Amino acid sequence: MALDSLHEVIENIRSITDLVDPEHDCETITAIQDQIDKEATERKKGLEKAHANLKGLARVLDAARTSSTRPPSALNDAESAVASKQAELTRLKEELRQLEESDPAAEHELDGTPLRLQIYRGLGIEPILDEDGNLDRVLVKSTSHDIHVVKFNDGVPDEDLVEEIWRLSLL
């Protein structure tokens, strides 16, 4: 009976050793160790970042404490500088409002006709007026330096005449 139980124990040990794979266990332990190292590194970076943030906040706190203990004259100087800047801002806003409301063109009676005529002449378009001052015809100098005449008394719509003038100027 003892021999049977010994054989049974040996069989149990053999079946257990088939289940144990030392290579796989070693890989698992290595993977766990790598994960632990990675988390430790991330934790250390987070701690360093929090420490840097704490140092920055400490500097801000020190600056606030220093500014709160300034002598009253420094505060008065700062307050007067702020008041002066606010007055300047108000003045500039008022000046801007006045400039936006003003119309320089309306203040000066300007006629754009001479300027438009000069632009047309520069493009090679010369209007010719009749005795009454009405537009009679237009001389058009094309890009090939030919001169064309477009009459305005033929009852043709203005849009068609304008189109004809531009067409002739591009010949």
Side-chain angles (χ1 to χ4, degrees):
M1 185 129 160
L3 195 55
D4 283 337
S5 67
L6 184 60
H7 283 305
E8 192 176 311
V9 170
I10 291 173
E11 282 301 316
N12 284 338
I13 290 174
R14 282 190 185 144
S15 67
I16 290 175
T17 52
D18 290 340
L19 295 175
V20 175
D21 182 11
E23 195 172 304
H24 181 311
D25 292 345
C26 185
E27 289 173 358
T28 303
I29 291 171
T30 304
I32 291 171
Q33 186 62 42
D34 290 344
Q35 184 66 29
I36 290 171
D37 291 344
K38 182 180 174 185
E39 288 178 5
T41 302
E42 288 176 7
R43 200 174 301 120
K44 184 177 179 183
K45 285 180 185 177
L47 184 61
E48 288 172 355
K49 187 176 180 181
H51 187 66
N53 191 18
L54 180 62
K55 280 185 177 180
L57 290 173
R59 282 192 294 268
V60 169
L61 178 62
D62 287 342
R65 283 183 182 154
T66 302
S67 68
S68 70
T69 58
R70 284 188 185 144
S73 64
L75 290 176
N76 289 339
D77 292 346
E79 287 174 352
S80 65
V82 167
S84 125
K85 293 297 181 186
Q86 285 177 337
E88 184 179 359
L89 177 63
T90 304
R91 182 186 58 79
L92 289 173
K93 282 183 179 179
E94 177 62 25
E95 188 176 329
L96 175 64
R97 185 191 61 75
Q98 289 174 356
L99 288 173
E100 286 174 344
E101 289 177 357
S102 71
D103 184 11
E107 293 173 7
H108 306 284
E109 294 190 26
L110 299 176
D111 186 10
T113 305
L115 180 59
R116 281 192 288 276
L117 284 173
Q118 188 164 354
I119 291 171
Y120 289 137
R121 287 182 181 134
L123 293 171
I125 300 170
E126 179 74 34
I128 307 295
L129 305 177
D130 62 9
E131 299 84 30
D132 298 329
N134 296 323
L135 185 62
D136 183 41
R137 62 188 177 275
V138 174
L139 298 178
V140 180
K141 183 178 179 181
S142 67
T143 54
S144 64
H145 300 293
D146 292 336
I147 303 291
H148 304 279
V149 178
V150 177
K151 293 194 180 236
F152 271 74
N153 295 341
D154 296 338
V156 180
D158 289 347
E159 293 84 13
D160 293 342
L161 291 172
V162 169
E163 191 173 312
E164 178 68 11
I165 290 170
W166 287 115
R167 186 187 69 75
L168 291 172
S169 71
L170 297 174
L171 290 177

